[in-house]
mmCIF file of all heavy atoms in Angstrom:
data_model
loop_
_atom_site.group_PDB
_atom_site.id
_atom_site.type_symbol
_atom_site.label_atom_id
_atom_site.label_comp_id
_atom_site.label_asym_id
_atom_site.label_seq_id
_atom_site.Cartn_x
_atom_site.Cartn_y
_atom_site.Cartn_z
ATOM 1 N N GLU F 12 90.287 99.290 -56.418
ATOM 2 C CA GLU F 12 91.332 98.501 -56.239
ATOM 3 C C GLU F 12 92.615 99.221 -55.729
ATOM 4 O O GLU F 12 93.227 98.748 -54.835
ATOM 5 C CB GLU F 12 91.710 97.906 -57.669
ATOM 6 C CG GLU F 12 92.724 96.821 -57.664
ATOM 7 C CD GLU F 12 93.010 96.290 -59.029
ATOM 8 O OE1 GLU F 12 92.127 95.851 -59.727
ATOM 9 O OE2 GLU F 12 94.199 96.238 -59.384
ATOM 10 N N VAL F 13 92.896 100.526 -56.070
ATOM 11 C CA VAL F 13 93.906 101.344 -55.632
ATOM 12 C C VAL F 13 93.707 101.569 -54.143
ATOM 13 O O VAL F 13 94.565 101.581 -53.271
ATOM 14 C CB VAL F 13 94.114 102.646 -56.316
ATOM 15 C CG1 VAL F 13 95.135 103.638 -55.749
ATOM 16 C CG2 VAL F 13 94.579 102.332 -57.805
ATOM 17 N N ALA F 14 92.411 101.940 -53.759
ATOM 18 C CA ALA F 14 92.030 102.214 -52.449
ATOM 19 C C ALA F 14 92.228 100.868 -51.535
ATOM 20 O O ALA F 14 92.663 101.027 -50.453
ATOM 21 C CB ALA F 14 90.562 102.677 -52.298
ATOM 22 N N ALA F 15 91.894 99.849 -52.077
ATOM 23 C CA ALA F 15 92.030 98.529 -51.338
ATOM 24 C C ALA F 15 93.411 98.355 -51.105
ATOM 25 O O ALA F 15 93.907 97.815 -50.026
ATOM 26 C CB ALA F 15 91.368 97.401 -52.070
ATOM 27 N N LYS F 16 94.337 98.587 -52.085
ATOM 28 C CA LYS F 16 95.728 98.277 -52.017
ATOM 29 C C LYS F 16 96.311 99.327 -50.954
ATOM 30 O O LYS F 16 97.197 98.911 -50.147
ATOM 31 C CB LYS F 16 96.481 98.459 -53.260
ATOM 32 C CG LYS F 16 96.303 97.350 -54.234
ATOM 33 C CD LYS F 16 97.217 97.538 -55.508
ATOM 34 C CE LYS F 16 96.956 96.357 -56.490
ATOM 35 N NZ LYS F 16 97.665 96.727 -57.679
ATOM 36 N N GLY F 17 95.896 100.554 -51.016
ATOM 37 C CA GLY F 17 96.438 101.529 -49.952
ATOM 38 C C GLY F 17 95.994 101.240 -48.508
ATOM 39 O O GLY F 17 96.725 101.369 -47.631
ATOM 40 N N GLY F 18 94.793 100.700 -48.446
ATOM 41 C CA GLY F 18 94.280 100.265 -47.125
ATOM 42 C C GLY F 18 94.987 99.082 -46.622
ATOM 43 O O GLY F 18 95.292 98.898 -45.436
ATOM 44 N N GLY F 19 95.462 98.187 -47.560
ATOM 45 C CA GLY F 19 96.203 97.031 -47.090
ATOM 46 C C GLY F 19 97.612 97.411 -46.596
ATOM 47 O O GLY F 19 98.125 96.851 -45.690
ATOM 48 N N LYS F 20 98.197 98.482 -47.198
ATOM 49 C CA LYS F 20 99.439 98.954 -46.799
ATOM 50 C C LYS F 20 99.337 99.491 -45.472
ATOM 51 O O LYS F 20 100.249 99.325 -44.634
ATOM 52 C CB LYS F 20 99.990 99.884 -47.838
ATOM 53 C CG LYS F 20 100.517 99.316 -49.123
ATOM 54 C CD LYS F 20 101.149 100.307 -50.014
ATOM 55 C CE LYS F 20 101.687 99.689 -51.334
ATOM 56 N NZ LYS F 20 102.148 100.799 -52.149
ATOM 57 N N LYS F 21 98.325 100.216 -45.184
ATOM 58 C CA LYS F 21 98.197 100.804 -43.824
ATOM 59 C C LYS F 21 98.080 99.777 -42.856
ATOM 60 O O LYS F 21 98.697 99.881 -41.802
ATOM 61 C CB LYS F 21 96.929 101.815 -43.816
ATOM 62 C CG LYS F 21 97.220 103.155 -44.553
ATOM 63 C CD LYS F 21 95.995 103.906 -44.508
ATOM 64 C CE LYS F 21 96.073 105.227 -45.318
ATOM 65 N NZ LYS F 21 95.000 106.001 -45.166
ATOM 66 N N LYS F 22 97.240 98.778 -43.108
ATOM 67 C CA LYS F 22 97.016 97.667 -42.175
ATOM 68 C C LYS F 22 98.344 97.064 -41.888
ATOM 69 O O LYS F 22 98.748 96.590 -40.732
ATOM 70 C CB LYS F 22 96.101 96.671 -42.660
ATOM 71 C CG LYS F 22 94.617 97.206 -42.641
ATOM 72 C CD LYS F 22 93.658 96.135 -43.083
ATOM 73 C CE LYS F 22 92.160 96.678 -43.120
ATOM 74 N NZ LYS F 22 91.309 95.563 -43.596
ATOM 75 N N LEU F 23 99.104 96.754 -42.909
ATOM 76 C CA LEU F 23 100.386 96.100 -42.806
ATOM 77 C C LEU F 23 101.270 96.919 -41.977
ATOM 78 O O LEU F 23 102.133 96.352 -41.021
ATOM 79 C CB LEU F 23 101.064 95.808 -44.271
ATOM 80 C CG LEU F 23 102.365 95.075 -44.327
ATOM 81 C CD1 LEU F 23 102.259 93.693 -43.682
ATOM 82 C CD2 LEU F 23 102.967 94.967 -45.639
ATOM 83 N N ILE F 24 101.447 98.275 -42.187
ATOM 84 C CA ILE F 24 102.326 99.051 -41.451
ATOM 85 C C ILE F 24 101.810 99.050 -39.935
ATOM 86 O O ILE F 24 102.655 98.966 -39.011
ATOM 87 C CB ILE F 24 102.222 100.647 -41.898
ATOM 88 C CG1 ILE F 24 103.020 100.533 -43.296
ATOM 89 C CG2 ILE F 24 102.931 101.466 -40.960
ATOM 90 C CD1 ILE F 24 102.852 101.855 -44.066
ATOM 91 N N ILE F 25 100.589 99.216 -39.668
ATOM 92 C CA ILE F 25 100.000 99.171 -38.316
ATOM 93 C C ILE F 25 100.507 97.739 -37.602
ATOM 94 O O ILE F 25 100.916 97.671 -36.444
ATOM 95 C CB ILE F 25 98.533 99.329 -38.275
ATOM 96 C CG1 ILE F 25 98.277 100.885 -38.711
ATOM 97 C CG2 ILE F 25 97.947 98.992 -36.917
ATOM 98 C CD1 ILE F 25 96.804 101.075 -38.886
ATOM 99 N N ILE F 26 100.309 96.731 -38.327
ATOM 100 C CA ILE F 26 100.620 95.323 -37.697
ATOM 101 C C ILE F 26 102.051 95.186 -37.367
ATOM 102 O O ILE F 26 102.551 94.755 -36.400
ATOM 103 C CB ILE F 26 100.097 94.202 -38.631
ATOM 104 C CG1 ILE F 26 98.590 94.166 -38.828
ATOM 105 C CG2 ILE F 26 100.710 92.893 -38.266
ATOM 106 C CD1 ILE F 26 98.077 93.210 -39.846
ATOM 107 N N ILE F 27 102.888 95.766 -38.357
ATOM 108 C CA ILE F 27 104.248 95.740 -38.066
ATOM 109 C C ILE F 27 104.741 96.674 -36.909
ATOM 110 O O ILE F 27 105.590 96.169 -36.051
ATOM 111 C CB ILE F 27 105.163 96.258 -39.448
ATOM 112 C CG1 ILE F 27 104.988 95.185 -40.512
ATOM 113 C CG2 ILE F 27 106.590 96.434 -39.222
ATOM 114 C CD1 ILE F 27 105.568 95.507 -41.812
ATOM 115 N N ALA F 28 104.143 97.731 -36.789
ATOM 116 C CA ALA F 28 104.393 98.626 -35.677
ATOM 117 C C ALA F 28 103.946 97.983 -34.374
ATOM 118 O O ALA F 28 104.719 98.047 -33.384
ATOM 119 C CB ALA F 28 103.563 100.001 -35.880
ATOM 120 N N ILE F 29 102.793 97.229 -34.301
ATOM 121 C CA ILE F 29 102.363 96.640 -33.204
ATOM 122 C C ILE F 29 103.299 95.480 -32.718
ATOM 123 O O ILE F 29 103.647 95.360 -31.643
ATOM 124 C CB ILE F 29 100.894 96.085 -33.283
ATOM 125 C CG1 ILE F 29 99.917 97.310 -33.412
ATOM 126 C CG2 ILE F 29 100.544 95.118 -32.275
ATOM 127 C CD1 ILE F 29 98.517 96.946 -33.697
ATOM 128 N N VAL F 30 103.797 94.685 -33.749
ATOM 129 C CA VAL F 30 104.725 93.718 -33.520
ATOM 130 C C VAL F 30 106.071 94.256 -32.965
ATOM 131 O O VAL F 30 106.680 93.618 -32.014
ATOM 132 C CB VAL F 30 104.941 92.863 -34.802
ATOM 133 C CG1 VAL F 30 106.068 91.934 -34.633
ATOM 134 C CG2 VAL F 30 103.662 92.121 -35.212
ATOM 135 N N LEU F 31 106.514 95.425 -33.552
ATOM 136 C CA LEU F 31 107.782 95.883 -32.947
ATOM 137 C C LEU F 31 107.661 96.373 -31.529
ATOM 138 O O LEU F 31 108.542 96.151 -30.783
ATOM 139 C CB LEU F 31 108.175 97.100 -34.040
ATOM 140 C CG LEU F 31 108.810 96.787 -35.164
ATOM 141 C CD1 LEU F 31 109.156 98.007 -36.135
ATOM 142 C CD2 LEU F 31 110.175 96.055 -34.933
ATOM 143 N N VAL F 32 106.463 97.079 -31.261
ATOM 144 C CA VAL F 32 106.195 97.409 -29.940
ATOM 145 C C VAL F 32 106.251 96.278 -28.988
ATOM 146 O O VAL F 32 106.743 96.277 -27.853
ATOM 147 C CB VAL F 32 104.935 98.374 -29.812
ATOM 148 C CG1 VAL F 32 104.507 98.521 -28.384
ATOM 149 C CG2 VAL F 32 105.101 99.581 -30.524
ATOM 150 N N LEU F 33 105.569 95.245 -29.270
ATOM 151 C CA LEU F 33 105.504 94.178 -28.445
ATOM 152 C C LEU F 33 106.942 93.328 -28.293
ATOM 153 O O LEU F 33 107.257 92.966 -27.176
ATOM 154 C CB LEU F 33 104.510 92.984 -29.138
ATOM 155 C CG LEU F 33 103.065 93.387 -29.017
ATOM 156 C CD1 LEU F 33 102.039 92.372 -29.734
ATOM 157 C CD2 LEU F 33 102.590 93.491 -27.535
ATOM 158 N N VAL F 34 107.691 93.320 -29.325
ATOM 159 C CA VAL F 34 109.015 92.821 -29.230
ATOM 160 C C VAL F 34 109.906 93.688 -28.385
ATOM 161 O O VAL F 34 110.606 93.084 -27.479
ATOM 162 C CB VAL F 34 109.631 92.568 -30.638
ATOM 163 C CG1 VAL F 34 111.089 92.289 -30.646
ATOM 164 C CG2 VAL F 34 108.972 91.630 -31.480
ATOM 165 N N LEU F 35 109.867 94.949 -28.482
ATOM 166 C CA LEU F 35 110.585 95.789 -27.614
ATOM 167 C C LEU F 35 110.205 95.717 -26.222
ATOM 168 O O LEU F 35 111.008 95.792 -25.302
ATOM 169 C CB LEU F 35 110.488 97.306 -28.162
ATOM 170 C CG LEU F 35 111.265 97.637 -29.396
ATOM 171 C CD1 LEU F 35 110.862 99.068 -29.888
ATOM 172 C CD2 LEU F 35 112.705 97.351 -29.312
ATOM 173 N N ALA F 36 108.887 95.512 -25.877
ATOM 174 C CA ALA F 36 108.486 95.434 -24.524
ATOM 175 C C ALA F 36 108.807 94.188 -23.989
ATOM 176 O O ALA F 36 109.314 94.090 -22.802
ATOM 177 C CB ALA F 36 106.941 95.595 -24.602
ATOM 178 N N GLY F 37 108.905 93.104 -24.754
ATOM 179 C CA GLY F 37 109.296 91.899 -24.337
ATOM 180 C C GLY F 37 110.802 91.802 -24.019
ATOM 181 O O GLY F 37 111.263 91.318 -22.998
ATOM 182 N N VAL F 38 111.591 92.514 -24.866
ATOM 183 C CA VAL F 38 112.974 92.725 -24.588
ATOM 184 C C VAL F 38 113.295 93.476 -23.217
ATOM 185 O O VAL F 38 114.080 93.026 -22.458
ATOM 186 C CB VAL F 38 113.737 93.226 -25.788
ATOM 187 C CG1 VAL F 38 115.185 93.652 -25.482
ATOM 188 C CG2 VAL F 38 113.707 92.263 -26.988
ATOM 189 N N GLY F 39 112.517 94.463 -23.139
ATOM 190 C CA GLY F 39 112.640 95.331 -21.950
ATOM 191 C C GLY F 39 112.375 94.582 -20.767
ATOM 192 O O GLY F 39 113.029 94.697 -19.691
ATOM 193 N N ALA F 40 111.213 93.828 -20.737
ATOM 194 C CA ALA F 40 110.792 93.071 -19.603
ATOM 195 C C ALA F 40 111.929 91.847 -19.325
ATOM 196 O O ALA F 40 112.167 91.678 -18.196
ATOM 197 C CB ALA F 40 109.510 92.319 -19.856
ATOM 198 N N LEU F 41 112.463 91.229 -20.225
ATOM 199 C CA LEU F 41 113.463 90.236 -20.111
ATOM 200 C C LEU F 41 114.682 90.898 -19.527
ATOM 201 O O LEU F 41 115.351 90.284 -18.597
ATOM 202 C CB LEU F 41 113.841 89.610 -21.423
ATOM 203 C CG LEU F 41 114.741 88.547 -21.488
ATOM 204 C CD1 LEU F 41 114.248 87.294 -20.557
ATOM 205 C CD2 LEU F 41 115.107 88.071 -22.804
ATOM 206 N N LEU F 42 115.097 92.098 -19.990
ATOM 207 C CA LEU F 42 116.281 92.682 -19.342
ATOM 208 C C LEU F 42 115.962 93.098 -17.845
ATOM 209 O O LEU F 42 116.983 92.921 -17.076
ATOM 210 C CB LEU F 42 116.693 93.925 -20.066
ATOM 211 C CG LEU F 42 117.269 93.832 -21.496
ATOM 212 C CD1 LEU F 42 117.515 95.114 -22.176
ATOM 213 C CD2 LEU F 42 118.624 92.958 -21.258
ATOM 214 N N MET F 43 114.835 93.604 -17.547
ATOM 215 C CA MET F 43 114.574 93.859 -16.251
ATOM 216 C C MET F 43 114.525 92.694 -15.295
ATOM 217 O O MET F 43 115.133 92.717 -14.131
ATOM 218 C CB MET F 43 113.148 94.623 -16.077
ATOM 219 C CG MET F 43 113.074 95.977 -16.669
ATOM 220 S SD MET F 43 114.063 97.120 -15.895
ATOM 221 C CE MET F 43 113.012 97.418 -14.457
ATOM 222 N N MET F 44 113.993 91.585 -15.850
ATOM 223 C CA MET F 44 114.005 90.385 -15.045
ATOM 224 C C MET F 44 115.430 89.808 -14.673
ATOM 225 O O MET F 44 115.780 89.394 -13.599
ATOM 226 C CB MET F 44 113.110 89.326 -15.505
ATOM 227 C CG MET F 44 111.699 89.510 -15.614
ATOM 228 S SD MET F 44 110.504 88.446 -16.367
ATOM 229 C CE MET F 44 111.418 87.076 -16.878
ATOM 230 N N LYS F 45 116.349 89.951 -15.748
ATOM 231 C CA LYS F 45 117.753 89.404 -15.601
ATOM 232 C C LYS F 45 118.404 90.370 -14.679
ATOM 233 O O LYS F 45 119.195 89.923 -13.774
ATOM 234 C CB LYS F 45 118.400 89.585 -16.877
ATOM 235 C CG LYS F 45 118.073 88.295 -17.831
ATOM 236 C CD LYS F 45 118.989 88.263 -19.009
ATOM 237 C CE LYS F 45 118.832 87.141 -19.908
ATOM 238 N NZ LYS F 45 119.689 87.070 -21.026
ATOM 239 N N LYS F 46 118.111 91.726 -14.682
ATOM 240 C CA LYS F 46 118.802 92.701 -13.764
ATOM 241 C C LYS F 46 118.404 92.414 -12.284
ATOM 242 O O LYS F 46 119.151 92.315 -11.481
ATOM 243 C CB LYS F 46 118.452 94.071 -14.168
ATOM 244 C CG LYS F 46 119.107 95.193 -13.540
ATOM 245 C CD LYS F 46 118.825 96.499 -14.020
ATOM 246 C CE LYS F 46 119.676 97.550 -13.607
ATOM 247 N NZ LYS F 46 119.327 98.919 -14.190
ATOM 248 N N LYS F 47 117.076 92.096 -12.147
ATOM 249 C CA LYS F 47 116.573 91.801 -10.777
ATOM 250 C C LYS F 47 117.147 90.482 -10.175
ATOM 251 O O LYS F 47 117.485 90.383 -9.105
ATOM 252 C CB LYS F 47 115.114 91.621 -10.663
ATOM 253 C CG LYS F 47 114.313 93.042 -10.750
ATOM 254 C CD LYS F 47 112.837 92.862 -10.681
ATOM 255 C CE LYS F 47 112.122 94.232 -10.807
ATOM 256 N NZ LYS F 47 110.695 94.243 -10.771
ATOM 257 N N ALA F 48 117.279 89.445 -11.065
ATOM 258 C CA ALA F 48 117.814 88.132 -10.686
ATOM 259 C C ALA F 48 119.275 88.388 -10.320
ATOM 260 O O ALA F 48 119.743 87.805 -9.413
ATOM 261 C CB ALA F 48 117.597 87.142 -11.862
ATOM 262 N N ALA F 49 119.945 89.071 -11.067
ATOM 263 C CA ALA F 49 121.396 89.349 -10.784
ATOM 264 C C ALA F 49 121.562 90.128 -9.433
ATOM 265 O O ALA F 49 122.388 89.768 -8.632
ATOM 266 C CB ALA F 49 122.097 90.042 -11.945
ATOM 267 N N ALA F 50 120.779 91.052 -9.293
ATOM 268 C CA ALA F 50 120.779 91.790 -7.958
ATOM 269 C C ALA F 50 120.468 90.847 -6.846
ATOM 270 O O ALA F 50 121.071 90.929 -5.743
ATOM 271 C CB ALA F 50 119.784 93.066 -8.076
ATOM 272 N N ALA F 51 119.348 89.915 -6.950
ATOM 273 C CA ALA F 51 119.097 89.147 -5.854
ATOM 274 C C ALA F 51 120.176 88.173 -5.632
ATOM 275 O O ALA F 51 120.543 87.766 -4.363
ATOM 276 C CB ALA F 51 117.852 88.459 -6.200
ATOM 277 N N ALA F 52 120.849 87.615 -6.701
ATOM 278 C CA ALA F 52 121.891 86.702 -6.528
ATOM 279 C C ALA F 52 123.100 87.364 -5.837
ATOM 280 O O ALA F 52 123.778 86.779 -4.970
ATOM 281 C CB ALA F 52 122.305 86.144 -7.887
ATOM 282 N N GLU F 53 123.376 88.604 -6.220
ATOM 283 C CA GLU F 53 124.435 89.298 -5.586
ATOM 284 C C GLU F 53 124.099 89.630 -4.102
ATOM 285 O O GLU F 53 125.105 89.429 -3.287
ATOM 286 C CB GLU F 53 124.630 90.699 -6.350
ATOM 287 C CG GLU F 53 125.859 91.531 -5.812
ATOM 288 C CD GLU F 53 126.074 92.825 -6.524
ATOM 289 O OE1 GLU F 53 126.186 92.679 -7.750
ATOM 290 O OE2 GLU F 53 125.879 93.790 -5.941
ATOM 291 N N GLU F 54 122.898 89.914 -3.834
ATOM 292 C CA GLU F 54 122.526 90.194 -2.348
ATOM 293 C C GLU F 54 122.654 88.843 -1.607
ATOM 294 O O GLU F 54 123.064 88.915 -0.552
ATOM 295 C CB GLU F 54 121.013 90.660 -2.366
ATOM 296 C CG GLU F 54 120.737 91.147 -0.962
ATOM 297 C CD GLU F 54 119.330 91.743 -0.960
ATOM 298 O OE1 GLU F 54 119.225 92.737 -1.737
ATOM 299 O OE2 GLU F 54 118.383 91.242 -0.283
#
Side-chain angles (χ1 to χ4, degrees):
E12 191 176 305
V13 170
K16 284 184 180 177
K20 285 184 180 180
K21 286 182 184 177
K22 285 182 184 178
L23 183 62
I24 291 172
I25 291 173
I26 290 172
I27 290 174
I29 291 173
V30 169
L31 282 175
V32 167
L33 290 174
V34 168
L35 290 175
V38 168
L41 183 64
L42 288 175
M43 291 294 285
M44 288 180 4
K45 281 188 175 184
K46 193 174 187 178
K47 285 182 182 178
E53 184 178 301
E54 189 174 296

